[in-house]
Amino acid sequence: MTPATPIRSIAPDDPDAPALIEAAAMLRAGGLVAFPTETVYGLGADATNPEAVARIFLAKGRPSTNPLIVHADGPDLARRCVSVWPEAAETLARHFWPGPLTLVLPRSPLIPDIVTGGRDTVGVRVPDVGVARALIERVGRPLAAPSANRSNRISPTRAEHVSRDLDGRIDLILDAGPTAVGLESTVLDLTSKPPRILRPGPIDADQLAAVLGVPVLSSVSSESLPLADRAAASPGLMAIHYAPRTPAIRLEPGSPPPAIPAETSVALIVFGPLAPELGSLRPSLRIDLPDPARASRTLYDSLHCCDASGASLIIVRMPPDHPSWAAVRDRLQRATTVPEPPLPARPLT
Ligand code: AMP
Ligand code: MG
């Protein structure tokens, strides 16, 4: 079957590609275009056009309270989206932009309510892919762009992933191959003192603190806050997010696998050598992501592969609880559940 949404191949650094000109015209007319960034593929709409932004929420099935990140082609346009530009924003923008860092700041009148879910703050960033910036420049307006997947599904790191989830629901997909970073941006709230990470990502608290010269609070652990507080602070902290279609459970290092019926076909994801306690598993697919950079780049692709493999259960053996694995662990905590504990033995009567 031919896809209903056209997919156009494009070189990541070609600002004059015909597909880019077509995409910019669609966006200016209020359309939806999926485009590559260094983190994941984004689903872009003109951030200054409330009707266009409403189509993002519809296409994704995203709750209207979940704010969208606004993408700019450089710091000048980013500054027009916010009403305050503190010294810290200038320092971080100089150091990390273009790159996977979203800054949350008070919003300017350029950004309509629908983008921020009614909040008086907006998240802005400058993506580190030439065609993404060239696209924004051609449109001449900031682009609201969440990940180009159905709400609560795994984020797309390839154009095929976008097509699988959103074919027929959006106007165009620009395909520049797999994304280089592979996990969503770090979201940093600069309206709180000290600055606070709302969503862990490729740039960690230590890197931010080193550049700012002040401490930065790490993200509140997704499991340490009541659900309502989590959603209010930053919907990206919701416990269930980024989930594969196949049931997926996680095992912390040292935990034995639960009893699994013989007919269950298991896809296993490990982060380093196979732990002895997992030796009894006979997975139909095994994926090893040995270091944080590789894991970040290919985690979502791996989950997509597990879904496509026909396995009936995904078992993820978690990487160690170490800062270098924080963003990967964070996404895995939302993509998987903890196995049910075995029933306690009945006391003899
Ligand atoms: P996504 O667009 O799917 O990558 O998710 C964007 C995430 O960024 C949201 O779910 C929030 O966690 C966070 N975010 C964006 N804008 C704001 C904001 N104004 N305030 C707090 N968090 C935000
Ligand atoms: Mg998303």
Side-chain angles (χ1 to χ4, degrees):
M1 226 173 64
T2 15
T5 300
I7 304 175
R8 305 255 188 273
S9 288
I10 186 166
D13 52 1
D14 179 2
D16 299 314
L20 206 67
I21 296 165
E22 181 187 5
M26 283 177 168
L27 287 164
R28 289 183 67 89
L32 297 186
V33 174
F35 65 95
T37 78
E38 79 283 28
T39 58
V40 300
Y41 275 74
L43 179 58
D46 174 357
T48 67
N49 176 344
E51 287 81 37
V53 175
R55 292 189 60 211
I56 292 184
F57 286 94
L58 208 64
K60 282 181 61 94
R62 181 173 172 116
S64 60
T65 46
N66 194 347
L68 306 178
I69 292 173
V70 170
H71 293 65
D73 60 347
D76 289 350
L77 183 58
R79 286 178 70 157
R80 290 178 44 217
C81 300
V82 303
S83 59
V84 180
W85 186 250
E87 189 65 39
E90 180 66 25
T91 307
L92 293 170
R94 275 179 198 275
H95 203 275
F96 293 108
W97 283 357
L101 176 65
T102 296
L103 301 178
V104 171
L105 287 161
R107 72 169 148 137
S108 77
L110 184 65
I111 302 301
D113 272 351
I114 189 166
V115 171
T116 68
R119 286 168 181 72
D120 51 14
T121 55
V122 63
V124 285
R125 83 173 189 103
V126 176
D128 191 14
V129 166
V131 285
R133 294 197 304 277
L135 180 64
I136 300 164
E137 193 184 343
R138 272 188 191 277
V139 175
R141 297 172 200 145
L143 295 182
S147 49
N149 54 286
R150 294 282 199 117
S151 204
N152 292 341
R153 294 285 175 209
I154 313 165
S155 297
T157 57
R158 295 171 183 272
E160 307 89 270
H161 302 157
V162 180
S163 183
R164 220 179 283 160
D165 244 20
L166 295 175
D167 185 40
R169 304 176 74 86
I170 63 177
D171 299 303
L172 182 68
I173 300 171
L174 295 177
D175 179 1
T179 61
V181 172
L183 283 190
E184 298 86 348
S185 60
T186 305
V187 177
L188 181 69
D189 184 358
L190 282 181
T191 67
S192 66
K193 283 212 167 50
R196 183 167 66 111
I197 291 182
L198 296 177
R199 176 175 73 184
I203 298 172
D204 66 28
D206 290 348
Q207 288 171 281
L208 295 167
V211 167
L212 282 177
V214 297
V216 168
L217 295 183
S218 297
S219 146
V220 264
S221 151
S222 59
E223 270 141 34
S224 68
L225 264 187
L227 211 76
D229 295 2
R230 236 182 275 154
S234 192
L237 296 177
M238 289 295 288
I240 296 297
H241 215 76
Y242 317 109
R245 290 166 203 266
T246 315
I249 58 171
R250 63 176 178 273
L251 301 175
E252 287 295 339
S255 315
I260 292 166
E263 65 278 10
T264 308
S265 129
V266 171
L268 178 65
I269 302 182
V270 296
F271 300 86
L274 189 66
E277 68 266 20
L278 301 185
S280 61
L281 287 175
R282 296 277 169 271
S284 54
L285 171 68
R286 183 179 137 193
I287 296 174
D288 186 5
L289 306 174
D291 59 82
R294 165 108 177 258
S296 151
R297 201 164 55 244
T298 54
L299 179 66
Y300 289 140
D301 197 34
S302 304
L303 290 171
H304 280 287
C305 280
C306 292
D307 263 347
S309 75
S312 46
L313 177 68
I314 302 172
I315 298 182
V316 177
R317 209 287 195 150
M318 294 290 274
D321 190 1
H322 180 270
S324 62
W325 288 101
V328 170
R329 281 183 59 90
D330 171 79
R331 300 310 186 273
L332 286 170
Q333 276 164 348
R334 293 157 218 267
T336 59
T337 56
V338 181
E340 296 284 320
L343 291 174
R346 268 167 179 258
L348 290 174
T349 49

